[in-house]
Amino acid sequence: QVHLVESGGGLVQAGGSLRLSCTTSERTSSGLSMAWFRQVPGKEREFVTAIKWNGGATFYSDSVKGRFIISRDNAKTTITLQMNSLKPEDTAVYYCAAGRGLITSSMRTERSYAYWGQGTQVTVSS
């Protein structure tokens, strides 16, 4: 069982920045790909970004590309989501997710990830 703990959510004005972190109980070098999803009430969970376990390839949704950056620390136990130029439509609960041995074509799919954090609220005011 992999445990994920998120931190860093909060309230920010439009145009501002926030940084989210997700710490795992297991090194991502053990085959663990990591991702961020987000969800607003009444809507399905939405893919935001992911980083692959082998090689560190990154993937972004069109809505955040160029504004958000996902990275992984050298110890490969923590991923960070740097969110810049935030917009009110970025407001959501952000979830960290992890899955083993994911292939490229599955990186954006919610059901590919077996492990999930508790979520952290991000609110962007206009």
Side-chain angles (χ1 to χ4, degrees):
Q1 184 73 16
V2 176
H3 297 283
L4 306 176
V5 178
E6 301 123 332
S7 61
L11 173 66
V12 65
Q13 288 188 333
S17 299
L18 276 178
R19 179 178 295 178
L20 306 183
S21 294
C22 176
T23 300
T24 74
S25 59
E26 181 175 319
R27 289 169 61 92
T28 58
S29 59
S30 65
L32 213 59
S33 291
M34 306 288 293
W36 290 95
F37 287 76
R38 65 187 182 187
Q39 189 172 27
V40 298
K43 292 190 177 181
E44 294 186 352
R45 201 170 294 186
E46 173 191 28
F47 170 78
V48 177
T49 181
I51 186 165
K52 203 173 180 186
W53 68 276
N54 58 337
T58 56
F59 306 81
Y60 295 93
S61 68
D62 288 343
S63 62
V64 307
K65 191 177 296 183
R67 300 188 297 122
F68 290 12
I69 301 171
I70 188 171
S71 61
R72 184 175 61 192
D73 73 336
N74 290 334
K76 297 182 174 63
T77 58
T78 299
I79 62 167
T80 299
L81 178 61
Q82 178 66 41
M83 304 185 292
N84 301 319
S85 302
L86 282 161
K87 304 175 182 179
E89 51 264 44
D90 294 318
T91 296
V93 176
Y94 283 71
Y95 295 90
C96 178
R100 297 190 188 281
L102 271 61
I103 59 176
T104 298
S105 60
S106 65
M107 293 292 293
R108 300 171 185 268
T109 305
E110 181 180 354
R111 64 177 181 271
S112 299
Y113 297 88
Y115 309 104
W116 292 84
Q118 79 284 358
T120 185
Q121 177 70 45
V122 171
T123 302
V124 184
S125 62
S126 57

